[in-house]
């Protein structure tokens, strides 16, 4: 069973994203891009980034030309 979606404050979510990026980089260096554990971490990072975009993308300034 999947764990329930947790709510994160913006700073907490950004911290988690940075931590997951570090873990992913280490996994790539140790196992390569296509190893199952690397792909799992990559998927987790994708989910965190998606959650950030959905929750906080409206906070960012938009530029118009």
């Amino acid at each position: 069973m999947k764990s329930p979606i947790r709510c994160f404050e913006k700073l907490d979510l950004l911290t988690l994203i940075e931590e997951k990026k570090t873990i992913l980089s280490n996994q790539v260096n140790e196992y390569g891009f296509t190893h199952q554990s690397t792909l799992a971490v990559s998927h987790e990072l994708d989910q965190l980034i998606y959650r950030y975009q959905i929750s906080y993308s409206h906070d960012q300034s938009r530029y118009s030309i």
Side-chain angles (χ1 to χ4, degrees):
M1 181 195 312
K2 288 188 175 184
S3 61
I5 295 174
R6 295 182 3 208
C7 295
F8 295 101
E9 294 293 326
K10 186 176 183 177
L11 241 47
D12 294 336
L13 192 51
L14 287 172
T15 300
L16 285 171
I17 288 170
E18 289 303 316
E19 289 172 357
K20 195 61 70 171
K21 284 169 56 177
T22 300
I23 292 168
L24 179 60
S25 179
N26 292 337
Q27 290 286 105
V28 168
N29 289 333
E30 188 168 343
Y31 301 113
F33 287 102
T34 58
H35 192 273
Q36 184 177 2
S37 62
T38 302
L39 295 175
V41 173
S42 177
H43 180 69
E44 292 169 6
L45 176 59
D46 290 344
Q47 289 176 326
L48 289 170
I49 292 170
Y50 178 73
R51 185 176 300 169
Y52 178 84
Q53 288 176 328
I54 294 300
S55 300
Y56 300 108
S57 64
H58 63 280
D59 289 352
Q60 297 181 2
S61 301
R62 294 200 173 132
Y63 297 99
S64 60
I65 298 176

